[in-house]
Amino acid sequence: MKRLTLVVLISLMLGLVACSKPVEVKMLSGAAQGTTWHVSVWSNSAIDTERLQEEIEAEFLRIDKMMSNYHSDSVIEQFNRSENPQAIEVGEEIVSLVNIARQVSQATNGCYDLTVKPLFDLWGFSKDVFNAPSETDIQNAIKKIGLSYLTSPTQTSLLKKQPELSVDLSSIAQGYSVSRIAKVVESAGITDYLVEIGGEMQTRGHKPDDSFWRIAIERPLPGDRVVQKVIDIKQDDSIAIMTSGTYRHYFDEQGKRFSHVLDARTGKPVTHSTLSVTVLHDDPTQADAWSTALLCLGESDAIRVANEHGVAAFIVREEKGSLIESSSNAWNTMKNIGVN
């Protein structure tokens, strides 16, 4: 599934250097991975924007050929269709993502799991047609999922212990894509940028007027988009900002709301009142996985797990019609990050 994200941009690439010839921020954009992307860059040296655009699009294509669940010929989809009981070569990048996801899954006691797609299909979220399954159907689907059925015998291969196992990397691949596009930008000699894919982002450096990047966290309610918090990135070092939420993709059925966030342990949509989780991390891949995983857990368990693992997390939940904010210890003690 393609995870809907909640982060919006504020003051995207504004500001000019106070000199006779101001430096211009270059803005590139396009469509990829079922969403849109934007890259904003500036440099005192000349930037070949046409070449950079081509390199970014080529990297998206390369990632899709490996990790897309929407392309039947991708590496991960070929692995999913295979019932080969032997290890299958999938490449170092996919194995690395699976291993990161495994660590996060273990931290959530299995709530977060890359193999949950059969349940996602069962509930009708894949085709946006609600289908409340029977308890028997849920239990049968649960038998087909679990990262415990997936091993990585080598740094480049995966092996299924359950032939019907299916791996969906969407909850982590977009964060990885952010990191890869940032690498493309940096390979062009650019050290001041903002990379955004579907609201998931990484910043480095600052704007031409020496002010820092500002990022808005969207209020997690359906309808008009309103800012909940503004994050001031007061550092030149790169940092990732990832948000996951329940309020964009759900079904209302007989007065009850069913979120697209599924708890792999129960096989059912989460029932807690947590609406969104934002994570700041120096690794976009980990930030992406953690934001989804903590959202699965819900506020109380999410804060506990985030504190145990030093994750900077900001959580919004709904209580009696009001939005209640909470945050982890690492979030509260962040340096060079302002939250307003």
Side-chain angles (χ1 to χ4, degrees):
M1 68 178 177
K2 179 59 66 175
R3 184 165 59 84
L4 298 180
T5 52
L6 315 171
V7 178
V8 294
L9 306 183
I10 280 186
S11 303
L12 190 64
M13 314 332 110
L14 297 180
L16 298 175
V17 174
C19 59
S20 59
K21 187 177 181 180
V23 176
E24 182 182 9
V25 173
K26 307 291 185 181
M27 301 176 64
L28 296 79
S29 62
Q33 301 181 345
T35 186
T36 58
W37 62 266
H38 301 83
V39 172
S40 301
V41 297
W42 72 272
S43 175
N44 288 318
S45 302
I47 298 175
D48 186 339
T49 54
E50 289 187 9
R51 180 177 179 181
L52 183 57
Q53 178 95 17
E54 291 174 357
E55 291 175 343
I56 289 172
E57 291 175 348
E59 183 64 5
F60 274 122
L61 182 61
R62 188 188 73 85
I63 293 170
D64 276 355
K65 286 181 177 179
M66 283 193 299
M67 304 180 184
S68 174
N69 291 108
Y70 296 92
H71 296 290
S72 60
D73 60 345
S74 70
V75 173
I76 197 62
E77 277 302 291
Q78 291 181 56
F79 173 79
N80 286 341
R81 289 196 304 272
S82 174
E83 295 186 2
N84 188 338
Q86 306 299 319
I88 298 174
E89 287 293 317
V90 295
E92 187 174 355
E93 289 169 277
I94 288 177
V95 173
S96 176
L97 294 194
V98 168
N99 288 336
I100 290 172
R102 191 188 310 280
Q103 294 172 3
V104 175
S105 178
Q106 290 171 348
T108 66
N109 196 28
C111 185
Y112 169 71
D113 195 300
L114 292 184
T115 67
V116 77
K117 190 175 185 297
L119 288 167
F120 198 74
D121 295 340
L122 185 65
W123 282 88
F125 286 103
S126 297
K127 296 183 179 180
D128 287 325
V129 179
F130 181 72
N131 176 41
S134 67
E135 187 64 31
T136 298
D137 288 340
I138 292 173
Q139 294 306 315
N140 287 336
I142 285 178
K143 295 176 183 177
K144 302 176 184 178
I145 71 172
L147 279 171
S148 60
Y149 294 127
L150 186 67
T151 63
S152 47
T154 70
Q155 293 183 342
T156 60
S157 67
L158 293 175
L159 185 150
K160 295 181 185 180
K161 295 181 180 179
Q162 156 58 266
E164 297 182 80
L165 197 73
S166 178
V167 178
D168 186 339
L169 296 169
S170 60
S171 66
I172 194 170
Q174 197 165 86
Y176 180 70
S177 298
V178 168
S179 71
R180 289 303 310 163
I181 299 305
K183 292 295 185 184
V184 171
V185 171
E186 291 176 2
S187 294
I190 299 167
T191 58
D192 297 275
Y193 60 78
L194 189 155
V195 171
E196 177 263 335
I197 306 173
E200 312 284 55
M201 65 191 69
Q202 176 175 318
T203 70
R204 181 181 174 186
H206 50 271
K207 292 185 283 187
D209 63 356
D210 287 332
S211 64
F212 291 102
W213 305 111
R214 306 189 75 211
I215 309 299
I217 301 174
E218 186 177 278
R219 183 169 296 171
L221 292 174
D224 294 337
R225 294 190 167 184
V226 179
V227 173
Q228 178 79 17
K229 289 288 183 181
V230 176
I231 301 175
D232 292 311
I233 309 297
K234 302 176 182 179
Q235 64 179 44
D236 283 328
D237 292 340
S238 62
I239 191 166
I241 307 98
M242 305 281 166
T243 299
S244 296
T246 63
Y247 71 97
R248 291 278 182 211
H249 197 186
Y250 58 84
F251 292 119
D252 284 327
E253 183 75 10
Q254 297 181 347
K256 186 176 181 180
R257 178 156 296 182
F258 295 87
S259 165
H260 78 288
V261 178
L262 300 176
D263 186 332
R265 299 168 298 185
T266 65
K268 300 176 182 180
V270 296
T271 57
H272 55 63
S273 59
T274 299
L275 300 177
S276 70
V277 176
T278 298
V279 168
L280 269 65
H281 201 287
D282 57 6
D283 180 357
T285 305
Q286 295 225 22
D288 199 7
W290 275 114
S291 65
T292 306
L294 296 177
L295 180 64
C296 184
L297 287 175
E299 190 252 4
S300 59
D301 285 339
I303 291 294
R304 174 182 56 80
V305 171
N307 286 342
E308 289 174 356
H309 294 271
V311 178
F314 173 78
I315 298 172
V316 181
R317 75 178 193 277
E318 186 175 16
E319 185 177 307
K320 298 179 180 180
S322 298
L323 297 182
I324 309 299
E325 301 173 354
S326 59
S327 51
S328 67
N329 293 338
W331 180 280
N332 297 333
T333 57
M334 289 187 300
K335 296 181 179 179
N336 301 323
I337 304 293
V339 181
N340 304 294

